[in-house]
Every structure is written in structure tokens, then in C-alpha cells.
């Protein structure tokens, strides 16, 4: 789409007696190249030829701007009028600005790259969050149209994108996060003066999120999982229940975190948060036995658990060459194999929260928050009391008895 006009390219040739359609062209490719990959080079070459014409139009606009500035200034002098210096400066600045502006800055794709590069370089989000952000912006840019100029981002386009998103089969969280990311991008366009005016509906288009009911495994279900699991998956699920972990947490455990009795660490998701607790989990006898069985020979910052091929169980700390999240979760395959033989009502990620739900004692909520390694927030923050180690140890001992059914 260029200047609000959508151009259509057809892979086939123009048929006999077929009327010429405005803004439509035929690439005349053999049928074997009627694919995205087969037609890419020819289509790009077509675009390059038309882009040259657009650049010429931009140069003409610059000349026109300079001419207008000159006519107004000369007319004022001829009539003996004295223009306000700020008006004269603005006329000259506008013509110079048009001349200096790179043609690339007129296209949405340029600002899309600028925005994502800035968010990538500020290092304020992990690979997963950046990947989601990029997907949101790519989705919006594709909706506006490939090759669109930045002025195609209008209140109407923003509303239509929202309508399409709401009509799709997406979760409330996906819709909310997508619109939040797109809103941030459009605000960036305004801040960079790429848009002539701010969108009036930027704050009025919202997504309502209805939180689903909280679900947990029961103590009996947890006991069956811990009893039936074998091999590496058994190590994972016992650490999930004993230490409130997920697979990435287990994969990132290092030798320095283990002292033979406790695992002491900050949760990976909150390790850069100043108020995130460093938690020492008292390990159960069963967990200690599994650690001894599966741990690597190493020390310090070296990973304690690795796959038989020597690679980490979960890789989720980097982006690939396309700025997409590089995620390799080998526990997921273990869990799929386990559930084929032992079907489960909920995914493995619910084990951590289900164990926390079974924790009891004085300051129960504070114990649960600390067990999970989370940062207390909202109403909980007002009442949070950091439980001493002895109190957490007792809570974990009670938790084991509750799950195993002997307490």
C-alpha cells in the first residue's frame, strides 16, 4: 500500500481480453513459480521500479515546498510587509526538512525497525517478551499493508485493527497485550514526529480481560504424579513441588545454589527485581536422592542438570537471527510422553502453584509468596511479612506430609 492505495500483483500473465485494472499488474511467471518463494524476486524487482517513481515525487515535493516559501517571502517584501521572523523561519525549515528527510522515513517499515531496535537495545525485556512485542508490531504493520507510508496509521486504521483482533479467535490476554504493544508503537511514532497528529482514540480503544477461575492439582493428584514419574521427569516434578519451580528454573540450577540441604536462589523471572526474595528451600529426602542421581560433575556457576547430550534442558535466553525467541524446551517432550501413559487434568506448570496452595501456617500468604519466589504486590504487599527460615522449613515439611498423605 502506497499513499493509501493498495497495489495488487498477480503471478500469472494477463489473459486475453482481460481489462487493465487500476493499480494491478501481472508478473507473467510460469505456473511453477506461483508461490511466495517463487515470485519473491520478480515482485521485489517490480516494487523497486515503482519505488524510484515515488522518490522522484518526493524530490518534486521538496522543490514545491521551497518554491512556496520563496513566493510568500518575496510577496511580503514586494508589498512592504514585514513577516514575523518565526513565520519566515518556519517556512524555510519546512522546505529544508522535506529536502533532508530520507525517503525511508516516510514508510512505516522504517519506523517499525527503529522502534523494535530501540526496544531491543534498551535491554528492559527478555527474549520472550521482546518476541511477543515484535509479533504484535509485525501483525499491525501487516494489517496496515506492506510498503505503506506512515500516514496510513490513522484513527480509522487503528479502530479497524482492533475490530479485526476482537473478531479473531484469540484469548483476552493476547488481545490486551497486542493492543498495548501497538499503542506503544503509535505513541513512539508521534514522539518521533512521524505522525502529523496524535490519534484521538489511542486511549479509548481497550480490551477487557476476564481472569479465568484459578485451578490446582489436588494433593492426591500431586502424589500420583510424583509417584508415577520416572527418569528425568521425576527429578523435575519433585523440584516443582518442593521448591515452587518450573522447568526453566530447574534447568538453570547451578552447583553454587546447592549446599547439600538447601537450594538457595532468586527465581529466574524476578532475579533482576530489587525486591525479589532470595529463597532457601529445604529439600525433601526424595528430592535429595534425585539430585544425587541426576547432578553433573561440576562446580560454581556450572549447570547442575544437563541432558544426556550435554546441553541444557531448557534454552530460553536468546533471540535467533530473525529476532524471534529461541526456545528449546526438552522437558515439554518428557511431560508429553509421561501424560500419554498417565493422563493429567492440568499442564505441568500448575504443579508449582498447586504445591503453594497446600502450604499452611502462620502468615500463610507470606509463606506462599516466599515459597514461589515472587515479589509481593497489590493488597498482598500491605500485609506481607518476610517469614524467617525456620518457619519456611516447617511449612515445607508440612507440605511434604500433606502431599504424600502421611501428615
Amino acid at each position: 500500500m502506497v499513499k493509501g492505495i493498495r497495489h495488487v500483483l498477480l503471478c500469472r500473465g494477463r489473459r486475453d481480453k482481460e481489462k487493465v485494472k487500476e493499480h494491478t499488474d501481472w508478473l507473467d511467471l510460469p505456473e511453477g513459480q506461483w508461490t511466495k518463494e517463487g515470485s519473491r524476486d520478480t515482485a521485489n524487482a517490480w516494487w523497486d521500479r515503482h519505488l524510484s517513481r515515488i522518490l522522484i515525487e518526493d524530490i518534486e515535493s521538496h522543490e514545491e515546498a521551497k518554491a512556496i516559501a520563496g513566493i510568500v517571502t518575496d510577496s511580503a517584501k514586494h508589498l512592504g510587509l514585514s513577516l514575523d521572523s518565526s513565520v519566515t523561519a518556519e517556512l524555510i525549515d519546512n522546505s529544508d526538512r522535506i529536502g533532508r528527510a530520507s525517503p525511508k522515513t516516510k514508510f512505516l517499515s522504517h519506523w517499525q525497525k527503529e522502534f523494535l531496535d530501540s526496544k531491543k537495545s534498551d535491554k528492559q525485556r527478555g527474549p520472550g517478551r521482546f518476541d511477543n512485542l515484535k509479533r504484535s508490531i509485525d501483525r499491525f504493520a501487516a494489517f496496515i499493508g506492506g510498503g505503506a507510508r506512515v500516514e496510513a496509521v490513522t484513527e480509522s486504521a487503528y479502530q479497524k485493527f482492533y475490530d479485526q483482533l476482537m473478531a479473531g479467535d484469540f484469548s483476552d490476554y493476547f488481545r490486551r497485550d497486542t493492543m498495548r504493544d501497538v499503542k506503544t508503537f503509535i505513541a513512539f511514532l508521534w514522539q518521533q514526529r512521524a505522525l502529523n497528529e496524535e490519534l484521538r482514540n489511542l486511549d479509548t480503544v481497550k480490551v477487557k480481560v476476564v481472569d479465568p477461575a484459578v485451578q490446582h492439582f489436588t494433593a492426591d493428584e500431586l502424589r500420583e504424579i510424583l509417584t508415577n514419574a520416572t527418569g528425568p521427569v521425576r527429578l523435575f516434578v519433585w523440584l516443582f513441588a518442593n521448591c515452587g519451580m518450573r522447568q526453566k528454573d530447574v534447568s538453570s540450577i547451578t552447583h553454587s545454589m546447592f549446599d547439600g540441604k538447601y537450594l538457595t536462589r532468586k527465581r529466574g523471572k524476578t532475579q533482576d527485581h530489587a525486591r525479589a526474595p532470595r529463597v532457601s528451600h529445604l529439600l525433601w529426602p526424595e528430592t535429595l536422592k534425585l539430585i544425587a542421581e541426576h547432578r553433573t560433575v561440576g562446580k560454581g556457576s556450572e549447570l547442575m542438570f544437563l541432558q544426556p547430550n550435554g546441553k541444557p534442558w531448557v534454552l530460553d535466553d536468546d533471540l535467533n537471527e530473525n529476532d524471534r525467541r529461541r526456545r528449546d524446551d526438552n522437558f515439554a517432550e518428557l511431560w508429553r510422553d509421561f501424560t500419554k501413559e498417565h493422563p493429567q487434568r492440568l499442564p505441568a506448570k500448575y504443579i508449582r502453584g498447586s504445591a503453594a496452595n497446600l502450604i499452611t501456617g502462620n502468615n500463610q500468604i507470606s509463606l506462599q509468596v516466599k515459597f514461589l519466589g515472587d515479589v509481593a504486590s497489590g493488597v498482598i504487599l500491605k500485609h506481607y511479612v518476610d517469614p524467617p527460615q525456620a518457619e519456611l522449613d516447617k511449612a515445607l515439611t508440612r507440605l511434604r506430609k500433606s502431599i504424600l498423605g502421611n501428615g
Side-chain angles (χ1 to χ4, degrees), residues 120-263:
K120 182 180 178 181
S121 62
D122 66 17
K123 300 186 183 303
Q124 294 186 16
R125 54 196 57 76
R129 179 67 192 98
F130 180 82
D131 180 63
N132 291 337
L133 174 69
K134 188 177 189 305
R135 290 177 187 274
S136 297
I137 305 309
D138 288 352
R139 177 183 290 272
F140 178 68
F143 173 82
I144 296 299
R149 293 169 72 93
V150 70
E151 56 260 34
V153 178
T154 63
E155 293 166 3
S156 175
Y158 184 59
Q159 180 67 50
K160 289 178 180 177
F161 176 76
Y162 168 81
D163 293 341
Q164 184 188 81
L165 189 69
M166 296 302 291
D169 185 19
F170 306 115
S171 70
D172 289 347
Y173 292 102
F174 179 85
R175 291 167 176 159
R176 179 199 64 187
D177 293 348
T178 299
M179 292 306 299
R180 177 193 59 196
D181 293 341
V182 171
K183 176 182 175 181
T184 303
F185 175 51
I186 294 176
F188 170 83
L189 296 178
W190 168 246
Q191 292 161 3
Q192 297 298 314
R193 301 180 186 277
L195 294 177
N196 292 326
E197 61 178 18
E198 194 171 12
L199 272 58
R200 295 177 180 84
N201 59 346
L202 202 57
D203 293 320
T204 58
V205 175
K206 298 180 180 179
V207 176
K208 181 180 180 180
V209 174
V210 179
D211 291 323
V214 177
Q215 300 186 76
H216 292 124
F217 285 111
T218 65
D220 290 342
E221 289 172 326
L222 286 177
R223 182 166 59 253
E224 288 187 10
I225 292 173
L226 298 178
T227 301
N228 293 328
T230 59
V233 73
R234 184 175 177 84
L235 168 73
F236 275 86
V237 295
W238 274 88
L239 283 168
F240 291 177
N242 191 165
C243 304
M245 293 182 173
R246 289 184 180 165
Q247 56 262 44
K248 185 179 178 182
D249 299 315
V250 174
S251 179
S252 62
I253 293 173
T254 63
H255 287 273
S256 61
M257 298 176 184
F258 177 59
D259 66 3
K261 183 179 180 181
Y262 291 93
L263 268 178

Side-chain angles (χ1 to χ4, degrees), residues 275 365-366 369 375-386:
R275 291 193 293 110
I365 293 180
S366 294
V369 171
V375 179
S377 60
V379 176
I380 294 176
L381 181 61
K382 298 179 181 178
H383 307 286
Y384 179 77
V385 177
D386 188 13

Side-chain angles (χ1 to χ4, degrees), residues 341-354:
E341 187 174 350
H342 305 281
Q344 299 299 321
R345 181 171 57 87
L346 299 169
K349 66 181 182 180
Y350 283 88
I351 295 177
R352 142 187 164 86
S354 301

